[in-house]
Amino acid sequence: MKKIIPLTAAILFVTACNDSGSETASGNGQDSIWGYSSTGRNLVEIQTSNGQTIKAVDIDGIAHVGDMMLGRTEDLLQHGLTVAENQDQPTAQEKSISRAATIYPSSGFKWPDGIVPFALNSNLSSAARADALSAISYWNTNTNVKFIERTNEADYLLITNGNGCSSYVGKIGGAQAVTLAYNCGMAAAIHELGHAVGFEHEQTRSDRDNYVSIYWDNIQSGMEYNFEKINTSNRHDVGNYDYYSIMHYHAWAFSKNDQPTILPKQDDVDLYTMGMVSEMSAGDLAAVAAIYGDPGNGNDNSGDNDNDNSGDPDQNQGEQYSGQLSGSRATNIQPNGNWFQYQGGTLSATLSGPDNADFDLYLQQWNGRSWVNVAISESYSSSEAISYEAAAGYYQFVVLSYNGSGSYTFTLKR
Ligand SMILES: [Zn+2]
């Protein structure tokens, strides 16, 4: 039996902070879960434009729910929280996702074309600056959201030093803060950027009671409001409930007694993975793709992979990509460093590599936890071919330099 190690470490991992000492960063050191206690503070009830009530804690005039900032408390109390009217109904693509995660932008709004300008405040610690840049690189590599350094854009993220790790949800307009303390870490930075592009916590989904149990008696006093469910009349639960979403809390989040606060109802969920992942799950990536388009395919959302909105993929020649591998046992992911979602059908790919080398080609499918080989081409040359009858799911190709170095051409028909 595994020991409950992460929690003890988590409880000790309290941020240095200002007044009452009730701010908590708990986690395994990779995924900090952070929030203000409502004890001794003003717990406000904010009405949303769709008739919901959200509980939040006022901190210096800003309404917070855990690590999410909703906006100026005074404005919210007076005018309520406006939710995006044009995002009411899930799109067909969102509904079609078989396994995905997180919640569609609610109080927040989508960033146009997925472009998110950012600026790094000079007050950031060197560690937080590195975490921010790593997280930005991660998002830019793995999703169609593109964080760009701000020049003169009016709406942007100001990544700044703070007591903990926090962010607004979605684009709220103007300079909006993302706070990163020195000890947030890269995973928390990825998580906060997830809020900034519009995602909320997985375990607040409206359907969460089918998947997890909340142990209210184990939650620190004043932290209960972090576990409120969010009704979905204006929010979207994209895809299936995803225990391994980077937007999911871990089992001991805000525990007062080392006992779990959230436990999965399914037996096969790994408690030491839930809420402790350091990367986005395939479900997270699919949810982002549903909203911001597929990586490498622009934002046309036509599903034809050719970025021209025609709906017709070019069936004749396939898509061509080039790459280079230096040294033996190096790998590339194709197409273009990205996985892709596939509706099902034949996937064909060829590799044409350097003459004096032995390159191999693998087709991998995401099984919910990891990438597994489903088709392999390992000839003694660098000419490889795969044709595979694929079920709907998430796929990527891996090019391996078994022996030698050089440039190759990868051709894909899907
Ligand atoms: Zn969060």
Side-chain angles (χ1 to χ4, degrees), residues 19 99 168 178 181 187 382 408:
D19 43 359
R99 177 183 169 78
Y168 289 92
V178 172
S382 296
Y408 65 84

Side-chain angles (χ1 to χ4, degrees), residues 53-104:
T53 303
I54 294 176
K55 288 180 189 164
V57 166
D58 175 68
I59 305 294
D60 298 332
I62 303 292
H64 285 68
V65 179
D67 62 342
M68 299 182 290
M69 296 182 277
L70 301 182
R72 278 167 44 89
T73 309
E74 191 184 323
D75 293 344
L76 293 169
L77 288 175
Q78 190 177 353
H79 304 296
L81 181 66
T82 304
V83 290
E85 292 300 334
N86 61 348
Q87 295 168 348
D88 283 358
Q89 296 304 318
T91 63
Q93 190 185 1
E94 285 171 28
K95 287 179 178 167
S96 73
I97 292 174
S98 58
R99 177 183 169 78
T102 63
I103 294 174
Y104 197 59

